[in-house]
Amino acid sequence: MRDETRRTRDETQRLRGETEAVWATAASFVVGAVGGAAVLGGEPRPLTGEHGLAVPIAAMAAAVTASAFIVSTLRHRRGETAPMPRWQATVSVVSSIALTLAFAAVAAMGVLLAAEVLSGGLQGLRLATVGGGMLAGVASAVGGRFAYGAGIGLRTSDIAGILFGYLVIGTLFAMATAADPRWWQHNFSTLGGGGGWAFNGTLVVAGLLVATVGSYIGRDLHRMLGDEALTRISRVVALWAVTGVALAAVGLLPLDRLPVPHDIAAVATLALFTVAAVVTALAFPQRPRALTITTIGVVALVIMAVVLCVGPRLYGVTALEAMVVGLGLLWMTTLVRVLAILAPEASRPSARATLRLR
């Protein structure tokens, strides 16, 4: 009877959250449509180009998406940090701020990519105030719905999904707008040359997301292991944070202007990601078999891919980079799935007033 009552309570809470998300979607559409119509003005515009609709709609969608996440977080997780010591609450707040920026960036980049795709299939289309406002409303509604739902109950797997999606969207947009159509003959970093803000910006935000994923990995490990494992957990979080900084540095140091620092940052990102993956796997209690097998397999495949590229040169650097990123995302998928199984959902405040590692 008690289990049935708990199940009914959980179902009621989930349905209530879904209803709130629907209202948030409607509110996001209205705000986006009205705001978009006001910003776009009355002159018909194409989807892309110097005076196109894409940029103002992307800005509106980003603002609405970030606002939806903030409102949802304040509504559903405001008291979560109250019983936490200051250091733990600070980590939680900083992670939320980073996610707010990431949600805005994902929404903006998604609109820009969609506009590039639609402009190729709808050549000659021009929209004025009403049509542009409706597009802004739809884009804002999609972003607001996703962000509000994430604020209700954010899991590590959700952040990893945001990272995967953002990398794909940002890279595709950079490809679609690349000044050099033969960029692939060199490497992915070529997309960031010549003022390629789309690819460089994607790497910066992706670095922010990698560091945030590391923070949530630490949160889940703490829920599993408690304060006794804070030293191991802090090491894991620090490694992911440094990896995120290195990835962001790849975007902040364009290849065409700063080739040596760029290459150093790129190699450091690969090395740090590998070390962070191994240290994270070792931090788990009883070494989950799925994660252990995936970690060993991914590290071995990365080494083999690098050797085959540098030695006999069976493929180019672009292919190598795609393989390494794909293997990294495969490993992270296994990690977040294992965390979803093992980590409790309830928040776990630390009993330590200060973060003193032992």
Side-chain angles (χ1 to χ4, degrees), residues 200-213:
N200 293 332
T202 296
L203 293 182
V204 172
V205 176
L208 182 67
L209 279 170
V210 167
T212 306
V213 169

Side-chain angles (χ1 to χ4, degrees), residues 14-275:
R14 291 179 181 178
L15 288 173
R16 186 181 297 115
E18 191 65 25
T19 301
E20 286 187 23
V22 171
W23 283 113
T25 304
S28 298
F29 175 82
V30 172
V31 173
V34 173
V39 170
L40 294 173
E43 293 294 327
R45 300 191 194 184
L47 286 175
T48 57
E50 185 177 356
H51 300 289
L53 298 169
V55 173
I57 290 178
M60 181 58 62
V64 172
T65 300
S67 299
F69 181 70
I70 292 172
V71 170
S72 180
T73 300
L74 292 177
R75 176 170 173 76
H76 293 278
R77 295 191 291 134
R78 174 182 293 176
E80 187 177 69
T81 60
M84 295 180 180
R86 181 176 298 179
W87 67 265
Q88 190 179 20
T90 300
V91 172
S92 179
V93 171
V94 171
S95 298
S96 296
I97 293 173
L99 281 174
T100 303
L101 297 175
F103 273 116
V106 171
M109 197 64 75
V111 170
L112 293 175
L113 176 61
E116 286 292 331
V117 174
L118 291 175
S119 63
L122 302 173
Q123 296 184 15
L125 176 66
R126 301 176 69 89
L127 296 174
T129 303
V130 176
M134 292 295 288
L135 278 181
V138 171
S140 299
V142 173
R145 172 67 174 83
F146 182 65
Y148 192 90
I152 294 177
L154 194 63
R155 298 172 298 177
T156 307
S157 57
D158 297 326
I159 309 173
I162 297 170
L163 172 62
F164 302 165
Y166 185 71
L167 280 173
V168 172
I169 292 171
T171 304
L172 288 177
F173 178 69
M175 291 179 185
T177 57
D180 182 7
R182 297 184 180 275
W183 64 267
W184 56 271
Q185 295 180 351
H186 306 283
N187 51 56
F188 275 98
S189 294
T190 307
L191 288 170
W197 63 268
F199 186 72
N200 293 332
T202 296
L203 293 182
V204 172
V205 176
L208 182 67
L209 279 170
V210 167
T212 306
V213 169
S215 173
Y216 275 79
I217 291 172
R219 181 200 68 173
D220 289 348
L221 288 174
H222 181 256
R223 289 179 178 180
M224 295 164 52
L225 305 175
D227 288 346
E228 294 76 12
L230 272 179
T231 300
R232 276 187 291 162
I233 296 171
S234 299
R235 193 177 299 122
V236 169
V237 174
L239 277 170
W240 285 112
V242 176
T243 303
V245 170
L247 180 58
V250 177
L252 293 172
L253 304 170
L255 179 63
D256 59 334
R257 286 184 287 174
L258 299 165
V260 175
H262 176 92
D263 290 341
I264 292 175
V267 173
T269 301
L270 174 60
L272 287 168
F273 187 95
T274 303
V275 174

